[in-house]
Amino acid sequence: MSTVVHYLNQFFAGFGGEEAADHEPVRLDGPQGPGRGLAAAGLTVDVTLACGDDFFGEHEEDALSTLLGWIEEFEADVLVCGPSFGSGRYGYACGVLAREVGRRGIPVVAAMTPDSPGVLAAEGAAHIVPTGSNVAGMREALPVIASIASRLAAGEAVGGPDDEGYLPRGLRVNALVDRTGAERAIDLLLAKLAGDVATEVAPSGDRVPPPPPVDDLASARLALVTEAGCVPQGNPDRLPTRHANVWLRYDVADADGLAPGDYESVHAGFDTTAANADPNRLVPLDAVRELERAHIVGVVHDVFYTTSGVDTPVATAARHGQEIAAELREAQVGAVILTGT
Amino acid sequence: MESTLADLEIATFAVDEVVEGTQTGWSDGRLTLALPQLAVGAGDPALAEATVEVVRPGDSVRISNVLDVALPSARIGEALPSARIGEALPSARAGEVRLHRLAGVAVLTLCDWAGAGYDGAEELPDSLVDMAGPGADRSPWGVTTNIVVRCVPSPGVEVAEADRAVRGAATSVATTIAEATAGATPDDVRSVGPLPPADASLPAVAVILQVASEGPLVDTFLDGEPLGEFAPRVLDERRLYEGRLTNGAYDWPGVRNVTAAYQDLSLLRELRAAHGERSRYAGLILAPGYLDGADQKRRAAEASAELAQSLVADGVVCTTFSSGNSHTDTMLTVQACERRGIGTVALVCETNGGLTDHVPEADCLVSTGNEDELVDAWIPERVVGGDDRARVGERVPAVHYLGGLAETGDARWTAVPA
């Protein structure tokens, strides 16, 4: 028997409108409000959790802590959030809760408008059923939510966004198909040569926009970061030459540059001969010291950061970036030169 | 070396049952294996140990430290000695050569390079085949009866020499068991000789097969020699059927071009089947991947495109070798071909972050799957190949399952939106 938990805001839980928006999180037995509609659509809600929209927005950490604690206590098999329709605050709360619950391995189904802030907040952790901007879309949304949530609660597979009627989560999951890649490739090519161009995968829109110019470079702390595998000679900390799952930092506070013989590249993805002849071409410490002396940059950060960017899974690389960025922020670094290979 | 195998035939013997016995032999679908003798045959001074065992689909077994897969295959001809996979062949006259190949059985080679103490080997990714459990369908070799050859290098042997011995052990076993079918009646015989001319109005399609050869443990071999640095070249595909292009690159297993894929490349099989019906087969181009510099990459891409043009190809299928860097080689090749008016489709694996590289001309891609997807944890009853790098009880990214995401088109996984 699976456990279904439903999250609502103060209005849909029956506590009131704006006057109740600062309502603390509460737990209620059985379905409330739209939860009864879910039951009619075949999904029986065991527990309803509710929170005022303002309370969630103003006390997000506390609200999340309480709600997540209850969801774990109930050993939920699936969480349903909303529908929140076009409500910004409610949608945001649904999205954040969905993200955190989804990250804990519990399936989540939410419903909201495609432009709701909750869609972004969920970060792909939930199946989000698109709705209209107001409750007029309730009748249409509930059966879809119930259908998806029932199967997720039972551990059953759910089809793709087009088939099931949820918003693409930005994920690409593996599927075993009848035909080999070779068969598919030839079919696609022959169709293309006949004028019908199609593809199984296109580049994602995950492009990093260029950051705005540094406001005041002459007073900024400038850090050097590289994926060129630049390490002290002999690689004392054993930075992997490929598939790196770590990044390292090295102190250069007292150095004017990286001397040949003191540093080297252990990167396995390019011919390192020229780079090792002058490691400053991997980590341009000599150049930024000149800029520092000329007061073009404020100060060069005391350490440089390094890893080997070859064969590293994107998820690992993203984690490296986030961890290094966190340190840079902590050190109040205002500008970074990132050298790639 | 030019092939002389004008009428090369492949005789296939479907294996219904594999049993152990005192003498390796074949009888009406039943393959008997004398495992100790096979192990002796696989021996080499560079190996301290070589063992052979059989693992079957459904066994609660995870195979770890898998290097390569070979299809049991032997060149049978009354007037000629047989030759091992990967070896150069003596000349043959037309009509003399038949390859005997077993179906449903594969030879897997295992070696724990890191455990043997080789410098840098710890960076080779864990390589798995599951015979049951949630990962059983993640490798094409989870559904074959596998003859597992596990090798341990002798202490102090140079890595290239040890690898030569490991590859030799596999080909010894693969050849020996296929030779057991000499004189038997095959289930199927197909000719892989020259194709007849086809309707000129059909589109001509070539294959650009990307391989990389970067040194010991990341090499690709032609006639037993590392390809090393090489320029794109047109290759007689019959050299692949004969097993003369072999794998010695033990990088990401999910996107590894194993020897078995070269021996029976799905793309060639399909293009031969389509020849005269939907398209015309234009030829095979062997192209380097994982090139170091931008200029090298551009030059190789242009050279591949030029060769495709010389084959008068209307379209090409571009394969990719492994993960990362090589995707740029693929994309540049696509770009070079398209700019010459040659239509392309490319096979690429995805990551959680999407495509590794892309050019605007790459408007027709086959996804061979998402290598970062996690496969559920599993605890098998037994691990063959060593526990150290078996990842028992862990969720494992799909890229660690051998050949499951092959960018040669030999697997059936793809990635879809969710």
Side-chain angles (χ1 to χ4, degrees), chain B residues 72-164:
Chain B
S73 185
R75 182 172 178 265
I76 306 292
E78 287 182 7
L80 296 166
S82 68
R84 290 179 169 194
I85 297 166
E87 288 181 350
L89 298 167
S91 313
R93 290 187 298 277
E96 279 191 315
V97 177
R98 178 178 272 192
L99 289 179
H100 281 210
R101 185 174 286 170
L102 303 183
V105 173
V107 175
L108 272 59
T109 35
L110 280 55
C111 181
D112 180 358
W113 296 108
Y118 287 100
D119 230 16
E122 69 281 359
E123 291 170 22
L124 294 173
D126 303 336
S127 177
L128 310 173
V129 172
D130 285 352
M131 305 308 294
D137 59 3
R138 294 292 179 154
S139 167
W141 316 109
V143 296
T144 50
T145 297
N146 294 325
I147 299 156
V148 177
V149 183
R150 186 179 181 190
C151 300
V152 178
S154 298
V157 173
E158 289 283 326
V159 65
E161 177 62 7
D163 183 50
R164 179 204 56 75

Side-chain angles (χ1 to χ4, degrees), chain A residues 172 174 177 192 241 243 311, chain B residues 123 338 350 363 370 412:
Chain A
R172 301 274 295 175
N174 287 329
V177 293
K192 176 177 171 175
T241 64
H243 320 138
D311 277 352
Chain B
E123 291 170 22
E338 294 280 351
E350 302 178 47
D363 58 1
N370 176 356
R412 293 190 295 116

Side-chain angles (χ1 to χ4, degrees), chain B residues 57-320:
Chain B
D59 288 354
S60 181
V61 169
R62 168 166 289 176
I63 309 173
S64 63
N65 288 301
V66 190
L67 304 181
D68 194 28
V69 186
L71 302 178
S73 185
R75 182 172 178 265
I76 306 292
E78 287 182 7
L80 296 166
S82 68
R84 290 179 169 194
I85 297 166
E87 288 181 350
L89 298 167
S91 313
R93 290 187 298 277
E96 279 191 315
V97 177
R98 178 178 272 192
L99 289 179
H100 281 210
R101 185 174 286 170
L102 303 183
V105 173
V107 175
L108 272 59
T109 35
L110 280 55
C111 181
D112 180 358
W113 296 108
Y118 287 100
D119 230 16
E122 69 281 359
E123 291 170 22
L124 294 173
D126 303 336
S127 177
L128 310 173
V129 172
D130 285 352
M131 305 308 294
D137 59 3
R138 294 292 179 154
S139 167
W141 316 109
V143 296
T144 50
T145 297
N146 294 325
I147 299 156
V148 177
V149 183
R150 186 179 181 190
C151 300
V152 178
S154 298
V157 173
E158 289 283 326
V159 65
E161 177 62 7
D163 183 50
R164 179 204 56 75
V166 169
R167 289 181 291 108
T171 54
S172 165
V173 172
T175 307
T176 301
I177 63 176
E179 283 173 343
T181 61
T185 304
D187 295 282
D188 176 65
V189 178
R190 64 183 170 120
S191 168
V192 288
L195 289 163
D199 182 349
S201 67
L202 293 171
V205 177
V207 173
I208 297 179
L209 177 63
Q210 186 188 92
V211 301
S213 189
E214 302 178 280
L217 309 189
V218 282
D219 256 333
T220 302
F221 298 84
L222 186 61
D223 286 330
E225 296 296 323
L227 276 163
E229 287 189 19
F230 72 99
R233 64 173 82 164
V234 175
L235 190 72
D236 186 331
E237 69 273 15
R238 286 166 290 184
R239 295 173 78 173
L240 269 66
Y241 297 126
E242 286 228 288
R244 293 157 72 174
L245 185 68
T246 55
N247 175 52
Y250 311 131
D251 220 311
W252 293 105
V255 286
R256 189 179 297 172
N257 292 4
V258 295
T259 296
Y262 296 140
Q263 287 174 277
D264 189 21
L265 199 66
S266 296
L267 279 169
L268 294 180
R269 202 177 338 117
E270 297 301 330
L271 284 174
R272 289 185 73 91
H275 182 79
E277 301 290 330
R278 298 195 295 156
S279 59
R280 287 179 291 137
Y281 175 62
L284 172 70
I285 297 165
L286 194 66
Y290 254 92
L291 297 171
D292 285 341
D295 287 344
Q296 273 180 298
K297 286 177 180 297
R298 286 193 194 95
R299 279 199 302 273
E302 289 297 335
S304 293
E306 194 175 329
L307 285 176
Q309 203 166 30
S310 74
L311 294 171
V312 201
D314 299 302
V316 294
V317 183
C318 300
T319 74
T320 306

Side-chain angles (χ1 to χ4, degrees), chain A residues 127 159-161 166-190 192-193 197-204 206-207 238-243 268-271 310-315, chain B residues 122-125 137-138 203 205 214 251-252 266-267 270-271 278-279 290 292 314-317 323-325 338 343-345 347-348 350-351 353 355 358 361 363-367 369-370 372-373 398 409 411-418:
Chain A
H127 292 78
Y166 61 88
L167 297 173
R169 293 178 292 167
L171 306 179
R172 301 274 295 175
V173 299
N174 287 329
L176 194 58
V177 293
D178 292 336
R179 296 183 311 143
T180 63
E183 292 172 279
R184 292 172 359 242
I186 292 166
D187 284 353
L188 279 175
L189 178 61
L190 295 181
K192 176 177 171 175
L193 294 174
V197 181
T199 188
E200 291 185 354
V201 55
S204 76
D206 185 21
R207 298 277 175 184
R238 309 282 292 171
L239 179 68
T241 64
R242 63 204 307 156
H243 320 138
F270 70 103
D271 183 344
V310 54
D311 277 352
T312 307
V314 172
Chain B
E122 69 281 359
E123 291 170 22
L124 294 173
D137 59 3
R138 294 292 179 154
V205 177
E214 302 178 280
D251 220 311
W252 293 105
S266 296
L267 279 169
E270 297 301 330
L271 284 174
R278 298 195 295 156
S279 59
Y290 254 92
D292 285 341
D314 299 302
V316 294
V317 183
S323 188
N325 181 324
E338 294 280 351
T344 59
V345 60
L347 293 127
V348 290
E350 302 178 47
T351 70
L355 296 172
H358 188 258
E361 291 85 352
D363 58 1
C364 185
L365 300 172
V366 166
S367 166
N370 176 356
D372 291 331
E373 182 178 273
R412 293 190 295 116
W413 285 96
T414 189
V416 296

